[in-house]
Amino acid sequence: MKIALISPRGALYKHTGGIWKKSLRYAPLTLTTLASLVPAELNAEVMLVDEGVTDVDLHLDADLIGISAITGSALRAYELADHYRRRGLPVILGGVHPTLMPDEAAEHADTVVVGYAEQTFPQLLRDFSAGHLQARYVQSPDLSLANLPHPRRDLLNPHDYTTIHTSEATRGCIHQCDFCVVPSAWGRPRHKPVAEVIDDIRQMRAKKLIFLDLNLIANVAYAKELFAALIPLRVTWGGLATTLIAGDDELLDLAVRSGCRGLLIGFETLAEEALQSVRKGFNRHHEYRIVIDKLHAHKIALMGTFVFGFDHDTKETFDQVADFVLDSHIDLPRFAILTPFPGTPLYRKLVAEDRILTQNWSLYDGQHVVFQPYQMSPEELWRGTEAVWKRVYRYRSIARRLAGARVQLPLVIPANIGYRFYAYRLHQFYTCDWRN
Ligand code: SF4
């Protein structure tokens, strides 16, 4: 049996014509994890296609096509699915978007996988092999992440990525931020046994790695156990956390000793009312400087992310955030436009208020305005966001931020140049008519 597993491109991430060059991409884990779940007794040949780094062959030779989609790549996923089905190939759709919109995905697929694939995908493949593929496979609530095979990184070309050494210890998040797909799509948080995570890292022979967990410190006791177990490996790593890491000295100390050198933290906004209104009230604006200074004092570089478009945001918000980013010396700032992903409480709220401007999912990429903002026009929102990107990535802004941060990791300067490249080309990718 030949199985082709495809990760479709989004406009910002395709390898030709997109903003990002593949040199800035790390290896994703979705396809390699799916490949590891293929039952050995099927003797299947598995091919992985990441459209972010390579073209997909529309004439490829396969018996079964699996496509994993997020909302921003859903239309491309449907385009590919329709194409392969016209060729007579059965198509499976899964991932965040089909999990949140299974009926829509079912219009383009023979089978839809809802939720994580760890239990359902092996069963699906056995059913396919036996000739009785079901229309839908739904993850059971008792899913455990223990005793699973390690991702099949050997199926990726390491030269396509900045690093192939990506890992994942946990899934989901304990928080319930209104705009986030994680709680809606993935349910309660789960984690792998620490010993299995460590075994995977040892087998990779990685000295530097990236944890792709959406919030590595969601379960603080687990995070402490994981960080303690990482110390003997003498690796360095980066990952995602929340501002709460700076409030727990033992956790932060273990993170540093385990090799943490960079963290992505979602600050989102400076307005506490906005944070409360989207249920991210554990972020406290008046503590942001303390968090940033503390991480810098521990030599941890910070990718700080902010979102524009909350109902509390005004035209003044853009400069306030840019001033804060420059004054606080955030090493690698990133900005997104609030995106009401389908299935989230934010989406339901905006539908109820008749403020959704388009359901063109390819614009749901965090850089397009897809809803009517409360205190400005859609154009003011995207132009304001673009202006902040450009302001904080001027050469003198980069110098000011990095001189103040004093972390001086070798990767931070090239990463800033990469983001400057992005900031100054972003306008080429805006679709200005958001009603399409
Ligand atoms: S803390 Fe982050 S991952 Fe968790 S729900 Fe909020 S935005 Fe999502």
Side-chain angles (χ1 to χ4, degrees):
M1 185 197 305
K2 289 183 180 168
I3 305 167
L5 299 173
I6 301 171
S7 176
R9 66 180 184 229
L12 293 173
Y13 299 99
K14 60 187 176 186
H15 75 290
T16 49
I19 289 180
W20 290 114
K21 298 295 175 192
K22 57 188 170 189
S23 60
L24 275 178
R25 283 173 62 86
Y26 49 77
L29 282 170
T30 308
L31 298 184
T32 49
T33 299
L34 285 171
S36 74
L37 299 170
V38 176
E41 78 266 15
L42 296 182
N43 254 330
E45 195 180 305
V46 184
M47 172 202 305
L48 306 187
V49 185
D50 175 359
E51 262 206 303
V53 297
T54 190
D55 289 326
V56 63
D57 180 0
L58 295 177
H59 305 287
L60 59 80
D61 176 25
D63 302 303
L64 183 64
I65 306 281
I67 305 177
S68 176
I70 58 173
T71 299
S73 65
L75 296 188
R76 173 64 178 164
Y78 297 159
E79 182 187 354
L80 290 173
D82 294 345
H83 166 81
Y84 290 119
R85 290 179 90 202
R86 276 195 300 273
R87 280 187 51 200
L89 303 180
V91 172
I92 310 159
L93 281 171
V96 178
H97 191 79
T99 290
L100 292 170
M101 307 286 285
D103 293 337
E104 177 190 282
E107 292 174 23
H108 304 272
D110 297 275
T111 299
V112 176
V113 175
V114 176
Y116 296 126
E118 270 74 8
Q119 288 170 331
T120 50
F121 193 52
Q123 184 58 46
L124 178 159
L125 293 174
R126 291 188 179 105
D127 288 351
F128 175 71
S129 176
H132 46 76
L133 192 63
Q134 309 294 306
R136 193 166 296 187
Y137 291 81
V138 180
Q139 172 205 304
S140 118
D142 66 3
L143 171 70
S144 159
L145 298 183
N147 301 314
L148 291 169
H150 300 321
R152 290 282 313 274
R153 299 179 184 88
D154 57 298
L155 295 175
L156 293 178
N157 179 355
H159 302 298
D160 285 339
Y161 302 97
T162 325
T163 179
I164 197 112
H165 296 144
T166 49
S167 184
E168 178 190 59
T170 65
R171 299 266 179 89
C173 183
I174 52 166
H175 303 294
Q176 301 277 329
C177 308
D178 267 7
F179 53 86
C180 182
V181 292
V182 174
S184 303
W186 305 127
R188 70 174 174 81
R190 295 174 169 79
H191 49 75
K192 298 179 184 174
V194 165
E196 294 180 24
V197 180
I198 298 296
D199 182 57
D200 185 29
I201 295 168
R202 280 191 199 282
Q203 287 195 21
M204 274 193 260
R205 299 178 181 277
K207 281 294 154 200
K208 294 180 181 170
L209 67 144
I210 301 177
F211 281 105
L212 301 186
D213 306 63
L214 297 157
N215 178 8
L216 193 53
I217 63 158
N219 180 330
V220 172
Y222 176 84
K224 288 179 179 174
E225 185 189 345
L226 174 67
F227 297 163
L230 279 169
I231 293 171
L233 271 57
R234 297 177 164 276
V235 294
T236 56
W237 61 268
L240 285 71
T242 67
T243 52
L244 298 176
I245 193 169
D248 186 328
D249 287 340
E250 184 191 359
L251 180 65
L252 183 57
D253 179 55
L254 279 168
V256 173
R257 287 169 54 212
S258 70
C260 178
R261 296 291 180 271
L263 286 176
L264 184 153
I265 290 186
F267 294 104
E268 322 303 4
T269 180
L270 304 180
E272 304 238 341
E273 307 91 322
L275 290 164
Q276 295 288 350
S277 74
V278 292
R279 302 211 289 174
K280 196 156 186 176
F282 64 83
N283 262 11
R284 297 176 198 283
H285 163 230
H286 62 277
E287 293 174 356
Y288 283 0
R289 280 301 294 264
I290 299 168
V291 172
I292 296 164
D293 291 346
K294 207 164 177 179
L295 293 177
H296 283 160
H298 285 82
K299 298 293 177 206
I300 293 176
L302 184 61
M303 178 185 277
T305 63
F306 294 84
V307 175
F308 294 113
F310 293 111
D311 284 356
H312 291 79
D313 287 351
T314 65
K315 283 178 265 182
E316 285 69 49
T317 302
F318 302 108
D319 273 340
Q320 289 164 359
V321 170
D323 288 344
F324 176 80
V325 164
L326 294 172
D327 292 345
S328 59
H329 310 128
I330 292 179
D331 309 69
L332 204 58
R334 244 172 59 177
F335 309 95
I337 289 172
L338 186 66
T339 303
F341 292 104
T344 60
L346 177 65
Y347 184 80
R348 290 193 288 277
K349 169 184 179 288
L350 293 175
V351 167
E353 294 172 1
D354 197 21
R355 291 168 60 191
I356 297 290
L357 296 174
T358 178
Q359 288 186 320
N360 177 349
W361 302 136
S362 53
L363 300 181
Y364 282 61
D365 60 2
Q367 294 300 339
H368 284 90
V369 182
V370 296
F371 70 100
Q372 178 61 49
Y374 196 62
Q375 302 200 58
M376 62 187 99
S377 70
E379 182 166 350
E380 285 168 334
L381 177 51
W382 69 257
R383 283 195 189 282
T385 306
E386 185 190 13
V388 176
W389 268 108
K390 287 184 172 170
R391 192 177 150 205
V392 306
Y393 280 100
R394 289 176 192 151
Y395 283 121
R396 66 174 178 274
S397 301
I398 294 174
R400 177 177 161 194
R401 286 189 288 99
L402 298 190
R406 294 180 166 174
V407 174
Q408 294 169 357
L409 280 185
L411 261 179
V412 171
I413 291 175
N416 266 276
I417 300 301
Y419 271 102
R420 180 187 152 83
F421 182 88
Y422 175 89
Y424 281 84
R425 279 159 187 77
L426 196 49
H427 64 280
Q428 297 171 11
F429 293 86
Y430 281 131
T431 299
C432 299
D433 186 357
W434 43 84
R435 287 177 192 280
N436 278 335

